[in-house]
Amino acid sequence: MLSLITNPDRFFGELKEGEPNLKKPATIVVLLAAFAAYYQFRLVMKLSTALPDDLARFFEAGAYINAVSSVIGIFAVWFVTAAIMHGLSAFFDGRGEFKRTFEFTGYGFLPSLFGSAISIPISLNYMEKVVMPKVSAEDLTADPGILAKTILKQIPTGYLHSALVLNIAVTIWSLLIWNFAIKNARELDGRRSLICAAIPTAIFGGYQILSLISIG
């Protein structure tokens, strides 16, 4: 796995000599999904402390649903990313089965796993220090985003800027890995593989970056 970081082209070149094996990339995605689910669960539980008891119980039940949705969402992103790159590579006469593309694409979530391991504990630390004011059902109806705004107001702007820089670094690193992943999975040259990798990376990375910018 070290060569995935130091020399991804060689890593995928050696890996494609064997049969497709989803065990390692699935482990990466499972760990990433676990981080996301845990964060979403803690966030919703924190928000519930501001609500009246009857609404709080509803939010607490929703925390479990939200956590499960986060896990499903991560695996959906894996599949969609692989499908986009596989489909785009077909325009460049790419050769190779989808299972190989799916396998190699999973390794591209390693940067997101590292990024989450850094950002989520820090974010949770700030979140736990937030004192949530009590909000009535009427307040929540008038402004559904009032709970999230309360937390965001108390998170330092410097942290949000650092998170933005980290997100950009993760996006670039993912692009690098996905570039060599689709190159070897579909037997493409460097220019064509970069095009295939850049489009889904721009979509998902751009969405995350714009979300952070809008928060700041």
Side-chain angles (χ1 to χ4, degrees):
M1 288 291 288
L2 181 61
S3 61
L4 173 61
I5 299 173
T6 59
N7 193 338
D9 194 18
R10 185 179 69 183
F11 174 83
F12 290 117
E14 294 174 352
L15 201 61
K16 71 180 180 183
E17 299 301 322
E19 291 296 317
N21 188 336
L22 298 176
K23 184 177 180 179
K24 288 182 178 179
T27 299
I28 292 172
V29 176
V30 165
L31 290 174
L32 177 60
F35 269 115
Y38 181 67
Y39 177 75
Q40 289 297 321
F41 178 80
R42 291 281 298 276
L43 175 61
V44 175
M45 292 298 287
K46 181 67 177 182
L47 296 177
S48 70
T49 62
L51 299 171
D53 290 343
D54 53 343
L55 281 179
R57 285 192 292 270
F58 174 78
F59 259 60
E60 289 169 4
Y64 293 95
I65 298 174
N66 209 27
V68 172
S69 298
S70 296
V71 173
I72 295 173
I74 294 296
F75 278 91
V77 169
W78 180 12
F79 179 83
V80 170
T81 301
I84 291 175
M85 287 198 283
H86 194 83
L88 289 172
S89 65
F91 289 102
F92 299 122
D93 299 320
R95 297 186 301 274
E97 60 182 358
F98 178 72
K99 186 176 181 179
R100 177 67 81 189
T101 302
F102 188 60
E103 174 197 9
F104 282 12
T105 302
Y107 287 100
F109 290 94
L110 183 63
S112 294
L113 178 59
F114 280 128
S116 295
I118 296 171
S119 63
I120 287 180
I122 297 174
S123 179
L124 288 175
N125 179 58
Y126 281 123
M127 187 175 69
E128 287 302 318
K129 295 177 181 178
V130 172
V131 178
M132 298 294 295
K134 285 297 180 179
V135 175
S136 66
E138 291 75 16
D139 293 332
L140 193 60
T141 301
D143 184 4
I146 189 172
L147 297 179
K149 290 175 183 176
T150 299
I151 289 181
L152 291 174
K153 285 179 181 178
Q154 300 183 55
I155 294 179
T157 304
Y159 166 73
L160 296 177
H161 291 163
S162 298
L164 176 60
V165 172
L166 178 62
N167 200 291
I168 292 173
V170 165
T171 299
I172 294 172
W173 187 9
S174 296
L175 173 61
L176 178 65
I177 293 178
W178 279 331
N179 172 42
F180 291 115
I182 197 64
K183 174 188 174 184
N184 286 279
R186 296 285 279 165
E187 299 182 22
L188 301 175
D189 60 40
R191 182 181 65 84
R192 293 175 178 178
S193 64
L194 182 59
I195 294 173
C196 294
I199 293 177
T201 303
I203 294 173
F204 297 117
Y207 171 76
Q208 293 174 344
I209 291 171
L210 287 174
S211 296
L212 281 173
I213 291 174
S214 65
I215 290 173

